[in-house]
Amino acid sequence: MSAVRRLVVEADGGSRGNPGPAGYGAVVIDAATGETLAEAAEYIGIATNNVAEYRGLIAGLTAAKALFPDAGTTGPDLRVHVRMDSKLVVEQMSGRWKIKHPDMKPLAARAAAILPPSSVTYEWIPRAQNKHADRLANEAMDAGRDGRQWEAAASNAELDAPARTPLPDRGPPGDAAAGAAKARAALAAARGGTEAGTLFEVPTAEEPAPPAAEPVAPEPTTSEPTAPGSTAPEPTDVSAIAGAEAAAASASGSATTPAPQVGWAAAPDLGTPATFILLRHGETALTPEKRFSGSGGTDPELSATGRDQAARAAAHFAALGTVQEIVSSPLRRCRETAAAVADRLGLEVRIDEGLRETDFGAWEGLTFGEVRERYGDDLTAWLADPDTAPTGGGESFTEVATRVAAARDRLTARYAGRTVLLVTHVTPIKTLVRLALGAPAQAMFRMELSAASISTVAYYGDGNASVRLLNDTSHLR
């Protein structure tokens, strides 16, 4: 019986803009000792998070194969366990989710063709456990921003890696360490280097990048929403598409230098934006009756319809794979909506008081008509003046804007360069959009926001913002 060499591959990818400047990182680890055997990272130009994550997987598997090129023939059998914080990649490569996006199919095929599918297993891990690969990806993106190549010798990524322990039943640690050292030495010699670094980059020729002149389209506008009633995308056999598509993808050529950009693309690099995906909570019993439901009255739960909407939003974000953090209003309807998404993505929900709905004072629970009937003069003044508060000590739009702007500034500083899902309410979402547009308070009355709708705003380092989406409900159909 031939010996078995067991490796762990941890991989990650990121995009500063989604799509935007992107890079990947991957690390190969000896399963018996927890020792880092190889690192790979590369800036890949303009791409989405999902493309970058798949490229990281391809790099990691390629590096693992390079360590033991004779595996399965004259050498030991190779078993690779892949660990990633991208649920999309893990579920698709495991064959449990269908690969719908046309840009993902050739990448999945390339990954599946590197090693026999039976020798590779996949596991989703929280982002906190994937710090090594995440740091590599960010180093690669920093290098691309500065117009240079990522260099293994200058990497500090392993310093951020969590402590590793050998995985059980992986054979004698001493033999494994000796075998790993021999493999590194052989690889270094073949590349004209030395064993001393023990870190290397995957050859670019083995890792062709998508042409820089053809950036991948944003995931939110091209993904296919999960069918009503389903809990996960349909399964598919990744290995079945590893033939012709893999060959076509491999023939696409090596990574190229991005073409000179013109127009807006030629503007100075303002840094990575913080991208806020704004999800209004699902319906409550008050929503279809169009009653004022703020933070000063009851705290209603989601209705059956609202829970279904939350589940569909969760399936939508799971298919996209772009959400990195989740922050919610403290009110129950938002926390329940956020929890549905968080459970699906394996993320934690943080609460920010600044995202709560307006306090509508005495108007809480009333319809617009009932408020006009009972508090007509106050309603007229409220509609005309953002400094006027609802009857009975509620909040004015000016007060809400001050609170929401403070939350915005706090969250953009905390999550610079990341894509964050904010689960909140009508007024905070409209306020963020109108502030991003530089529009007056009265503009809020001209926006429609459906229950469980999605809007998106990106915030840049110079203080400017870009509204990218408003009131999208395609995921609910």
Side-chain angles (χ1 to χ4, degrees), residues 145-244:
R145 177 197 62 200
D146 299 338
R148 54 184 175 82
Q149 295 290 326
W150 176 84
E151 296 180 1
S155 174
N156 293 315
E158 191 167 14
L159 298 178
D160 286 345
R164 301 189 183 104
T165 57
L167 299 183
D169 300 324
R170 296 299 189 256
D175 293 346
K182 182 177 180 181
R184 290 199 310 273
L187 180 65
R191 291 173 56 85
T194 65
E195 184 189 354
T198 72
L199 309 176
F200 63 89
E201 302 174 49
V202 175
T204 302
E206 296 179 2
E207 260 283 24
E214 300 179 7
V216 178
E219 296 287 349
T221 60
T222 55
S223 66
E224 299 178 38
T226 302
S230 65
T231 57
E234 302 172 29
T236 189
D237 182 2
V238 174
S239 62
I241 61 174

Side-chain angles (χ1 to χ4, degrees), residues 17 272-277 412 418 436 456-460 463-469:
T272 305
T275 301
F276 288 175
I277 300 176
T412 53
R418 303 192 69 76
T456 305
V457 182
Y459 297 91
Y460 292 87
N464 284 316
S466 172
V467 177
R468 299 183 174 181
L469 192 66

Side-chain angles (χ1 to χ4, degrees), residues 362-389:
W363 303 352
E364 293 279 354
L366 303 180
T367 66
F368 192 86
E370 290 169 342
V371 172
R372 181 170 291 284
E373 180 180 348
R374 302 180 191 183
Y375 309 103
D377 292 341
D378 290 351
L379 179 63
T380 298
W382 179 72
L383 292 173
D385 182 4
D387 291 329
T388 298

Side-chain angles (χ1 to χ4, degrees), residues 100 224-234 312 315-316 319 344 475 477:
K100 297 181 178 181
E224 299 178 38
T226 302
S230 65
T231 57
E234 302 172 29
R312 295 188 185 216
H316 172 72
R344 188 67 181 269
H475 57 290
R477 296 197 288 269

Side-chain angles (χ1 to χ4, degrees), residues 299-459:
D299 192 5
E301 64 181 355
L302 294 179
S303 64
T305 297
R307 290 191 293 272
D308 178 69
Q309 291 170 335
R312 295 188 185 216
H316 172 72
F317 291 122
L320 293 182
T322 56
V323 173
Q324 298 171 294
E325 308 280 352
I326 301 177
V327 182
S328 173
S329 155
L331 299 184
R332 182 174 182 177
R333 52 196 182 273
C334 285
R335 288 189 286 107
E336 290 178 342
T337 303
V341 180
D343 289 346
R344 188 67 181 269
L345 301 186
L347 297 175
E348 296 181 359
V349 177
R350 299 179 185 275
I351 301 299
D352 193 297
E353 289 287 337
L355 298 180
R356 60 183 169 82
E357 182 57 289
T358 307
D359 181 347
F360 290 112
W363 303 352
E364 293 279 354
L366 303 180
T367 66
F368 192 86
E370 290 169 342
V371 172
R372 181 170 291 284
E373 180 180 348
R374 302 180 191 183
Y375 309 103
D377 292 341
D378 290 351
L379 179 63
T380 298
W382 179 72
L383 292 173
D385 182 4
D387 291 329
T388 298
T391 310
E395 286 181 292
S396 70
F397 281 141
T398 298
E399 291 171 322
V400 173
T402 300
R403 165 166 58 82
V404 170
R408 175 202 61 196
D409 294 344
R410 181 168 59 249
L411 294 173
T412 53
R414 179 183 301 166
Y415 299 115
R418 303 192 69 76
T419 298
V420 185
L421 179 67
L422 304 187
V423 186
T424 180
H425 311 262
V426 168
T427 308
I429 293 175
K430 287 185 176 182
T431 298
L432 288 168
V433 170
R434 82 152 182 93
L435 291 175
L437 294 173
Q442 285 76 11
M444 294 171 58
F445 297 122
R446 304 184 185 279
M447 300 182 201
E448 176 70 22
L449 279 181
S450 303
S453 64
I454 298 172
S455 304
T456 305
V457 182
Y459 297 91

